[in-house]
Every structure is written in structure tokens, then in C-alpha cells.
Amino acid sequence: MDHILLNENFFSRNTNVVAKNLIGKRLVKIIRNENKKIRLVGMIVETEAYGYKSDEASHAYRGMTKRNRVMFGPVGRSYVYFTYGNHYCFNVTAKSKNQIAGAVLIRALQPEEGIQYMKDYRNINDLKLLTNGPGRITQAFCINKQHNDYDLTDISNDLYIEKGFNPNLVLATKRIGIKKSMHEYWRYILASKEENVIQLNKFVSNKKENIHYQICKLL
DNA sequence: TCGATGATTGAG
DNA sequence: TCAATCATCGAA
């Protein structure tokens, strides 16, 4: 069964390359209900890359702290942190051999399996608002601080990332909600081209008209 | 120890 | 547009 999981080699690349290539993959969490295993699954449709020095918006910018230490460790691990007094954000550590630290923030998913459980955890019924934001994902998947530093390449854990499909079109834009290094196009979103018009995936967060983007993957 | 703040969200 | 809300960080 291991062949369906992303492995260490996948995450041992430049953080931006991994962020781009995570689009179309599947985040899976196994929960238990009355001794039955339930799969919560969402396809990754939006990510952001965060680096080390030169990336002022990154938690790792000023070096290692108690909170960000996972970003400096092995790749393919979860980095979960608490923010704004309310929300958890879920990241995957990823960096090439010559990078000191790096992580990819998972910003939006397209719900695929276990949708009713996600709706219950979020206490909403609107599919489009279920997992279209980093804080919404962790609430829908019941991910919190205890899921920090999980090995996401190990299928014996209840949280991992599966191979998905190869998207035709991925766009790069500026990252959301930061005040530094705002010029970098390190946010990646799933899109499609329909009758020559580019359409963002409907589960992407912070959708805006006239969004400025670069096409970074087109098959 | 202490004040400032944040990779957000939901309500108005 | 704005308040909620608290763990974390860096300065004192």
C-alpha cells in the first residue's frame, strides 16, 4: 500500500517545487467511529511555500525556536501551529539538501470523502466553506497541536498524503495574510482552462476578481 | 516578566 | 470593515 503515499524523495526538493507539486495530491486523516475506520479525504487545491533567510514572512526567518523547530528537521513531517488565538494551521516540511528550513502551508482542499463528518466538525452545511482556508481545514479534519511533527510518509499514522492526479494548470500568486516579502509569487492554486478562459478551482480561498497570477504549470 | 502581534475567521 | 482571542516571540 505504500506506493500510494508520497515519500521522502518527494519532499526533499526546493520548498517551492514541493508546494507546486502538492496541488492535486490528497490529504487523508483516519478517524474512528464505533470501531470503524473512517477516511476524511480532501484534494489539495491551494498551497504556500515558506522558507528560511530572505523570506521575511516565514516563521523560520529569525532562526529556530521552540515553535518552528519542525521546519528545520526531517522533511515530510507536519508542522502545526496555533494562531490568532483561534486557529490551527497545517504545514508539511519540505526542503532540498542545501536549504536550512522550509514548510508548505496547506491553504485549501476540495472535499472528497467523509464530507458529513467534516460538516459536523465545522458545524456548517455549505460545501464551499468547508475547507477553503487553513483554519477551516484543521477544524474539518480535527487537526490540532497534538498532530505536530507527524511523519506524513508513514501509512501506520492516521494522517498522511496520498498521490492524486496531475493537474493541467497551476497558477502562482502572492501569498495571503502576510505583511513582509509580499512581492514573492509563492502561493499555488489549482485552475482549469474552459473555452479558453482560466477558472480557479471553486474551493480555493480568498477568491478575487482581477487576481494577478503567473502560469507556472500548463500541460 | 511583559507587550505586541499574527501564514485567520465569521459576523455586521 | 472589524473584533475575537491567546500562544509565541523578542525585548527589557
Side-chain angles (χ1 to χ4, degrees):
Chain A
M1 287 294 276
D2 274 356
H3 62 284
I4 65 168
L5 293 198
L6 299 184
N7 59 27
E8 189 184 326
N9 288 335
F10 180 91
F11 298 106
S12 298
R13 295 178 288 173
N14 179 280
T15 311
N16 272 289
V17 173
V18 175
K20 182 173 74 174
N21 283 288
L22 275 171
I23 301 298
K25 306 297 188 285
R26 295 191 164 88
L27 178 65
V28 181
K29 175 138 189 272
I30 307 297
I31 60 169
R32 280 154 219 280
N33 187 12
E34 297 172 354
N35 283 337
K36 278 188 278 193
K37 284 188 178 182
I38 311 289
R39 275 165 60 90
L40 305 183
V41 182
M43 184 176 65
I44 298 170
V45 299
E46 177 181 348
T47 63
E48 282 176 358
Y50 286 89
Y52 179 51
K53 296 225 164 141
S54 82
D55 184 3
E56 290 190 87
S58 173
H59 287 172
Y61 174 61
R62 293 171 194 279
M64 189 159 63
T65 66
K66 188 179 176 186
R67 177 177 66 171
N68 69 18
R69 65 177 173 78
V70 185
M71 291 180 71
F72 292 77
V75 298
R77 303 292 179 93
S78 58
Y79 168 45
V80 179
Y81 66 86
F82 186 66
T83 192
Y84 288 103
N86 284 294
H87 312 286
Y88 293 99
C89 290
F90 173 78
N91 300 251
V92 187
T93 62
K95 57 189 168 76
S96 60
K97 290 279 185 280
N98 56 10
Q99 288 182 276
I100 305 292
V104 178
L105 173 67
I106 309 300
R107 286 194 58 87
L109 305 173
Q110 176 169 321
E112 292 186 329
E113 296 178 39
I115 291 172
Q116 190 54 52
Y117 286 90
M118 300 181 202
K119 286 180 173 177
D120 290 346
Y121 291 137
R122 292 262 300 125
N123 197 28
I124 61 164
N125 199 34
D126 187 340
L127 191 62
K128 280 183 294 191
L129 293 175
L130 209 47
T131 51
N132 63 336
R136 291 168 176 164
I137 289 173
T138 53
Q139 189 180 32
F141 276 64
C142 287
I143 293 172
N144 54 53
K145 208 172 170 184
Q146 76 181 68
H147 299 99
N148 191 42
D149 204 13
Y150 261 46
D151 184 356
L152 300 171
T153 67
D154 183 352
I155 201 164
S156 68
N157 285 330
D158 58 6
L159 187 62
Y160 42 85
I161 301 179
E162 289 180 353
K163 293 176 181 174
F165 87 111
N166 202 10
N168 289 327
L169 182 59
V170 176
L171 309 180
T173 80
K174 293 180 179 181
R175 294 176 292 183
I176 304 288
I178 56 171
K179 292 181 179 155
K180 294 168 182 170
S181 297
M182 294 178 65
H183 56 288
E184 305 286 7
Y185 278 56
W186 289 348
R187 172 184 181 230
Y188 301 93
I189 57 184
L190 178 63
S192 61
K193 210 168 183 179
E194 288 161 27
E195 297 179 2
N196 238 20
V197 178
I198 288 181
Q199 300 270 10
L200 305 193
N201 177 277
K202 75 186 215 187
F203 296 97
V204 163
S205 75
N206 296 67
K207 291 180 79 167
K208 289 178 194 156
E209 303 291 324
N210 302 323
I211 184 175
H212 194 255
Y213 59 79
Q214 300 169 348
I215 292 175
C216 72
K217 180 176 180 181
L218 178 60
L219 293 183

